[in-house]
Amino acid sequence: MKWTKRLSRYTLPGMGLKWDASYFGLLFLVMVLVVLYTFLHDYQAALRALYVYRYGTQILRQGAVMPTLNTLLRHKFTVFWAYTAFCALRAFANYRSFFTETKSIYLMKRLKDKNELSRRCLAIPAAACGAALILFLLLLWLFVLIYRNGVPARCMPPEETLNIWGAFF
Amino acid sequence: MLELKNLCKRYGQTQALDNVQLSVGPGEIVGLFGENGAGKTTLMKCILQLILYDAGGITLDGKLITRQNIGRFSFATCEHSFFPALTAKAHRDFYEEHFETFLGRRFEGLMDFFQLPMDKPIRSFSTGQKNQFEVIMALSQGADYILMDEPFAGNDIFNREDFYKVLLGILEPHETVILSTHLIEEVPGFIGRAVLLHHGKIVGDTQTAELDEQGKTLMDYVKETYSYQSDRVSRALTELTGKEDEDA
């Protein structure tokens, strides 16, 4: 009970955490599904291309090489920018909410603590952005594990440094 | 002491405040009157630093108004400044957290007197109840200067009467009220001083006791100051209908 009261200091007055949690939770879920689907789809396709099927069995093609992890990851995390845009929109909507229905902005501007307004508008969207970034690093780690353990050793391409930025842009 | 010196504010081509000079001391109850657009709301918003003024200065006990002393002002506005989704109880908690001077007993007493529910979001209140709540919060903040901008718009006459009585009963000697209203006939018993604004200028400033001594009512003073022409309506009717007004 105490921690929810504490956390409510970072939300819009009267809105509580539930609303923010459901808004960002849904966005989070959509984002994870998009990233997982697009990566696993390409990964599966590339893996399948390593094999040929003869008499119902799959045989590794002669000289087949798996695309690099950087190639498979390219553009996969661009959804993060859409998410960031949603977070920014949310922060703006939070600010606008102090002007809708009533002018509670008048009260916010009379508070001694000048950070109260920015905290209530920005804290949750910023935390959601930070959480998304951590999630992406975890997903990246998961993809590295899948790639390292799933690709046959013979088909591994020459090693190259992991290009994280390529996934985001 | 709240002091406004040569305060000027312009909105585009409109001069909202024109060299306003005003001093309001502790314990005064000031009525601020003027036609729509006279500058009453602008004046209050300038005092509260809600809008920037173009020239002049505002000081409170000789100091500029900053975040450090802004808590000495409270504001009840017809636009409402409460959080609509928050309950009265949660408002009390919020105010207690942000205003060390918050008067919990006064808050409870007024909520009780006006029979407002503590556990319902304020958005579910009627317009009259919302106005009451707005004023209750302004009175309970523990501010030295209570600014009210048309706080009773939408409240019935009995309700407004109750408020004036309660206000006079609960105000401490150091608490100052600046009340902007069009309800001139209702406030003479409540205010001690009347300030008249016209086109952003102060055109009248008098103590109500002085008016009493002169045998004038506040309404007389207002009409006199604004050079109100009592035959204006009959002349207009004559022009519109082409008939002489029989009462005129």
Side-chain angles (χ1 to χ4, degrees):
Chain A
M1 194 63 187
K2 235 180 179 180
W3 69 269
T4 48
K5 202 172 179 187
R6 260 191 184 177
L7 278 178
S8 70
R9 295 182 63 216
Y10 297 90
T11 65
L12 295 176
M15 296 304 280
L17 263 180
K18 260 188 188 169
W19 200 87
D20 274 319
S22 49
Y23 176 87
F24 286 110
L26 188 70
L27 279 180
F28 225 75
L29 189 70
V30 170
M31 194 172 60
V32 171
L33 289 177
V34 167
V35 173
L36 276 174
Y37 174 78
T38 52
F39 176 79
L40 291 177
H41 175 269
D42 288 6
Y43 172 79
Q44 282 290 339
L47 204 61
R48 235 179 283 125
L50 297 177
Y51 297 92
V52 286
Y53 290 84
R54 273 186 204 148
Y55 313 113
T57 47
Q58 59 175 23
I59 303 160
L60 211 50
R61 276 199 294 116
Q62 197 70 35
V65 178
M66 184 75 170
T68 62
L69 182 59
N70 285 337
T71 310
L72 290 177
L73 282 174
R74 196 164 297 150
H75 308 315
K76 295 297 182 294
F77 290 171
T78 45
V79 70
F80 173 76
W81 301 113
Y83 180 79
T84 309
F86 271 111
C87 288
L89 272 177
R90 184 78 213 122
F92 180 69
N94 284 350
Y95 180 70
R96 286 300 307 164
S97 74
F98 290 101
F99 294 85
T100 42
E101 263 188 90
T102 67
K103 292 283 182 74
S104 49
I105 189 72
Y106 295 161
L107 174 56
M108 296 306 283
K109 285 191 171 179
R110 280 192 296 110
L111 302 178
K112 203 172 183 180
D113 181 4
K114 65 174 179 179
N115 297 322
E116 182 76 21
L117 180 62
S118 45
R119 187 171 64 229
R120 298 232 181 217
C121 293
L122 296 173
I124 299 285
C129 258
L133 212 55
I134 292 169
L135 175 91
F136 277 115
L137 292 177
L138 286 173
L139 281 175
L140 192 69
W141 175 70
L142 179 73
F143 294 160
V144 170
L145 280 183
I146 291 172
Y147 188 87
R148 293 253 162 95
N149 295 301
V151 178
R154 276 204 286 151
C155 305
M156 277 288 190
E159 231 173 88
E160 57 180 41
T161 323
L162 189 62
N163 177 16
I164 297 173
W165 295 118
F168 282 94
F169 293 100
Chain B
M1 174 80 81
L2 172 68
E3 286 183 295
L4 281 69
K5 286 178 189 161
N6 304 102
L7 201 66
C8 292
K9 172 70 187 174
R10 181 179 273 279
Y11 294 116
Q13 293 299 306
T14 313
Q15 189 74 47
L17 294 175
D18 191 0
N19 269 309
V20 170
Q21 302 256 26
L22 183 69
S23 297
V24 182
E28 281 196 82
I29 301 182
V30 182
L32 196 59
F33 307 105
E35 75 281 12
N36 289 332
K40 306 182 296 289
T41 303
T42 302
L43 183 73
M44 288 196 175
K45 286 184 179 174
C46 283
I47 295 171
L48 294 163
Q49 311 288 301
L50 296 174
I51 51 174
L52 295 173
Y53 43 88
D54 304 324
I58 304 172
T59 55
L60 180 62
D61 294 335
K63 287 177 187 159
L64 288 174
I65 295 160
T66 61
R67 288 270 182 182
Q68 294 312 306
N69 57 5
I70 192 78
R72 291 183 61 195
F73 292 96
S74 67
F75 188 38
T77 164
C78 53
E79 293 178 284
H80 297 150
S81 59
F82 50 74
F83 303 113
L86 217 58
T87 63
K89 209 170 166 184
H91 271 90
R92 183 193 56 200
D93 295 344
F94 184 89
Y95 270 69
E96 270 174 350
E97 189 188 329
H98 291 282
F99 300 103
E100 300 141 11
T101 51
F102 184 73
L103 305 166
R105 266 188 66 192
R106 185 183 280 186
F107 173 78
E108 307 279 346
L110 289 170
M111 287 296 289
D112 223 36
F113 179 78
F114 289 102
Q115 297 175 315
L116 298 180
M118 288 291 271
D119 292 315
K120 279 186 180 174
I122 312 301
R123 94 161 32 110
S124 69
F125 285 15
S126 68
T127 307
Q129 286 179 317
K130 283 176 185 170
N131 290 342
Q132 287 169 347
F133 185 74
E134 178 78 8
V135 176
I136 288 173
M137 291 322 293
L139 290 172
S140 306
Q141 189 192 302
D144 296 326
Y145 289 81
I146 302 160
L147 276 56
M148 298 191 194
D149 186 18
E150 294 284 354
F152 308 119
N155 285 59
D156 59 62
I157 177 76
F158 304 111
N159 205 273
R160 296 197 297 265
E161 283 280 327
D162 280 352
F163 246 117
Y164 299 133
K165 284 176 194 161
V166 166
L167 271 171
L168 284 175
I170 62 165
L171 287 175
E172 297 286 336
H174 68 277
E175 286 178 295
T176 307
V177 175
I178 303 177
L179 170 71
S180 147
T181 181
H182 288 293
L183 308 167
I184 299 167
E185 279 151 323
E186 287 180 16
V187 293
F190 170 62
I191 60 168
R193 179 180 168 190
V195 174
L196 273 56
L197 272 171
H198 182 57
H199 292 318
K201 279 185 178 169
I202 292 186
V203 290
D205 187 349
T206 186
Q207 300 290 328
T208 47
E210 279 176 31
L211 293 177
D212 290 340
E213 277 171 26
Q214 293 165 18
K216 280 185 198 167
T217 65
L218 182 60
M219 189 55 104
D220 292 337
Y221 175 71
V222 170
K223 283 182 177 175
E224 196 181 289
T225 311
Y226 286 120
S227 312
Y228 180 74
Q229 295 159 302
S230 52
D231 61 340
R232 196 168 150 254
V233 176
S234 53
R235 276 195 285 117
L237 284 172
T238 310
E239 274 173 35
L240 284 168
T241 59
K243 288 182 212 161
E244 283 292 317
D245 185 7
E246 285 169 17
D247 296 336

